[in-house]
Amino acid sequence: LKSPYSGGHLEVIVGPMFSGKSEELIRRVTRALIARQRVQVFKPAVDDRYHESAVASHTGRTVGALAVGDVADIRAHLSGEGPLLQASAEMPDVIGIDEIQFFGSELVPLALELADAGVRVILAGLDLDFRAEPFGCMPDLLARAESVEKLTAICTQCGAPATRSQRLISGRPARFDDPVVLVGAQESYEARCRLHHVVIH
Ligand code: ADP
């Protein structure tokens, strides 16, 4: 897929867990590297220190990435100290960011500034949370993007295309108002279709 946009622009890759978002991000980034473009990939760090890391898909493919604590870390890494990001010799041609649901709403102005400065920005993350509610600033990013790819996984219950992430707490569907972190519980996620996605109210 050759990007149809010549200048800076925003591409967003969304879908539920296991839909291949990381795979698709890795595919696009790998092609940019083959084209000898300057590429920088970021992902959220589990701890909040900068470190060299990699984006890995569930199939095990990887691409080098910088793990960052927050959007300010991304900004600091990219900019000389100025408040606005400028097109410059050091600015990458392509910036990829995985798991964007873990970043705050400051990601929106950053993505727009980068695209305005001529960068091809590729963002990947969950469009919906475990309740099937829009995730954070995703509606804003989807509306502003030049290109949106919605991927599906396979429903673990029926094999249909899965658009949602089922949260299970000790094997049972999670409640709508369960805290995001439940201490001491066994938590897992499955890809599910609309019919088989369950949220207890
Ligand atoms: P994401 O970034 O969207 O979570 P990944 O790119 O990490 O997805 O992984 C996608 C891969 O996960 C698929 O290519 C497939 O090998 C594997 N996989 C495991 N469970 C499922 C499922 N229920 N539906 C689709 N793919 C699955």
Side-chain angles (χ1 to χ4, degrees), residues 15-24 26 56-59 98-99 124 126 151-156 162 190-192:
M17 293 177 73
F18 304 106
S19 62
K21 300 181 296 299
S22 298
E23 242 166 50
E24 179 61 21
I26 292 166
S57 82
H58 286 109
T59 55
D98 201 14
E99 306 262 29
L126 297 171
L151 300 173
T152 56
I154 300 297
C155 176
T156 54
E190 286 182 355
R192 301 261 183 114

Side-chain angles (χ1 to χ4, degrees), residues 132-191:
E133 297 290 329
F135 218 125
C137 57
M138 201 51 101
D140 203 348
L141 289 169
L142 291 174
R144 294 176 193 276
E146 272 85 353
S147 141
V148 172
E149 181 149 17
K150 274 214 173 208
L151 300 173
T152 56
I154 300 297
C155 176
T156 54
Q157 308 300 295
C158 71
T163 51
R164 298 169 172 210
S165 306
Q166 177 69 53
R167 185 185 191 200
L168 300 168
I169 311 277
S170 304
R172 299 229 182 80
R175 306 183 65 87
F176 188 90
D177 48 11
D178 273 340
V180 173
V181 178
L182 265 182
V183 180
Q186 289 264 9
E187 180 176 50
S188 60
Y189 291 88
E190 286 182 355

Side-chain angles (χ1 to χ4, degrees), residues 44-60:
V46 188
D47 49 50
D48 39 50
R49 276 167 299 137
Y50 265 7
H51 57 93
E52 290 300 324
S53 182
V55 167
S57 82
H58 286 109
T59 55

